[in-house]
Amino acid sequence: MNYRTTADGSKRVTVIPGDGIGPEVVTAARRVVDATGVRIAWEEHEAGAAVFKRGLPSGVPQETIRSIADTRVVLKGPLETPVGFGEKSANVTLRKLFETYGNLRPVRELPGVVTPFSGRGVDLIIVRENVEDLYAGIEHMQTPGVAQCLKLMSRKGCEKIVRLAFEVAVAQGRRRVHCATKANIMKHTEGLLKKTFEQIAPEYPGIDAQHIIVDNCAHQLVRFPETFDVIVTSNMNGDILSDLTSGLIGGLGFAPGANIGNEVAIFEAVHGSAPKYAGQNVINPTAVILSAVMMLRHLGELEAAQRVEDAVTVTLEQGVYTRDVQVDGSVTTTAYTDAVIANLGRRPAEAAPAREHKPLRLPEIPSSPDYVHAARRRTIGADIFVESPHAPDELGRSLEALAEPTQLRLKMISNRGTKVYPAAGAITDCVDHWRCRFVLRDQDADLSDDVLLDLLQRVKSQHRWMHIEKLSEFDGALGYTRAQGED
Ligand code: NAP
């Protein structure tokens, strides 16, 4: 049981109203949930803009963290994030603090919400990895003009999200899981997700498992959205694809979401704080109401969840719309919410039959940090990253001379991923950030730190280095990629 109750049996939920339109949509969702008769003990806490303004860089106060650690269940409004500078996203902080590794984002065609895809039967769910990948937010300025963001993906993280995707398929009676990756380009990171998917898929023989390149997935989603059922993908790809899929069924106003972890679940809409609409009582609360439906299912309130889902469908069938669907004759957020509450208990006329939801079985993965062991491993060289205004030939000759007395030799230099030394005739626009690849002269040896540090001392005597990566072999397989043009 991943929730807690009060002494009188009410289910405890931490509620974060959020920024911008957040308080309006979260109030709407709370009113609907309360109207079902399910007894919820709401514990209201803050996070986001007001907290940043008070000078707390995380945007998430300790009291909020304590409450979530106690209740294990959160209904959350959107939180603003400053763009391009300053504080980190409080949303991402919350997801990461409580290891909510899976982000479930379902979209389903709704009656009366006319889109270019109406009548196609769109009904799919994106299962997005939620804590790793580029959104781990590990960024560095490597030179004054060159920025780096580390894309970290782990076997453990891939296994958790892939298993979750298959379990979602089982719980919701879905038949097909696509794994969308960019493994053709990022062979180690995105490739790990693809490989993990292919290893786990045979454990679910009743489910059709297919890999798809993520850009083609975006293309196919627009052309044939009805062919998709479950899509599992990495963090950033999932963020982008899920905004796309919300567009298929009428926009962000209709796209709910759940951040799922083995301990804590955070329910929130896909959309953000839409600040231009804040306080105007015009915004569509459906996405947060449907997020509350997902929360009710998580709390074991399957019947109440279905009643709310049906009431939303009936309301739309009646032609009650907020202004994102229809400007003329639209109703306020409050009036729309009133209509949903009035429709509790009514069954939709035209909607597709309700999906039967079984409890979601969360993957059990050992928590040991060293999840994967290699029987054999060897370091065969290192990439030393150097900041230099020199031309590639000049830099290359200098580094060759510096490495001459050592056990390592300069194999190549690349600039922004393309080999530029020894010159291969490429026409490359270079920047002052060079990846200088040194490998052991003896191809059977194992590089010691002493040898590497000796080389580094020599390099630093003439050049500014800022970063170093060892080149590893695990069980005979290369643990790094070649540069574009490197043989
Ligand atoms: P956004 O707030 O999602 O808004 C983008 C547009 O989507 C809105 O201008 C509006 O479109 C439409 N929209 C969003 N919610 C809607 C709703 N409930 N009903 C009807 N239409 C809705 O995205 P953003 O402008 O990129 O981000 C604003 C802030 O929110 C940023 O600070 C961002 O970091 C944050 N954010 C937070 C979360 C989160 O808390 N999980 C997620 C995403 C973004 P029209 O303009 O066409 O009417």
Side-chain angles (χ1 to χ4, degrees), residues 76 78-81 91 252 268 271-274 276-277 283-284:
K76 174 183 158 298
L79 306 178
E80 261 172 46
T81 309
N91 299 303
L252 286 169
E268 62 175 337
H271 66 69
S273 60
K276 68 181 176 189
Y277 295 120
I283 206 74
N284 187 348

Side-chain angles (χ1 to χ4, degrees), residues 322-360:
T322 43
R323 60 150 290 292
D324 53 316
V325 181
Q326 175 182 296
V327 177
D328 291 335
S330 62
V331 301
T332 62
T333 308
T334 314
Y336 179 86
T337 309
D338 292 341
V340 172
I341 291 170
N343 284 324
L344 282 170
R346 298 210 172 104
R347 288 282 299 136
E350 337 164 348
R355 192 172 274 293
E356 201 186 316
H357 287 262
K358 294 195 210 107
L360 177 61

Side-chain angles (χ1 to χ4, degrees), residues 67 432 460:
S67 169
D432 59 354
K460 100 168 187 190

Side-chain angles (χ1 to χ4, degrees), residues 311-328:
V312 168
T313 311
V314 171
T315 304
L316 294 168
E317 279 177 351
Q318 290 168 344
V320 180
Y321 302 127
T322 43
R323 60 150 290 292
D324 53 316
V325 181
Q326 175 182 296
V327 177
D328 291 335

Side-chain angles (χ1 to χ4, degrees), residues 2 11 50 115 148 166 169 178 226 242 292 302 319 348 355 405 448-449 456:
N2 281 346
K11 293 176 176 171
T115 76
Q148 173 192 263
F166 280 108
H178 279 93
E226 65 282 359
S242 58
L302 301 184
R355 192 172 274 293
S448 73
D449 285 351
L456 201 57

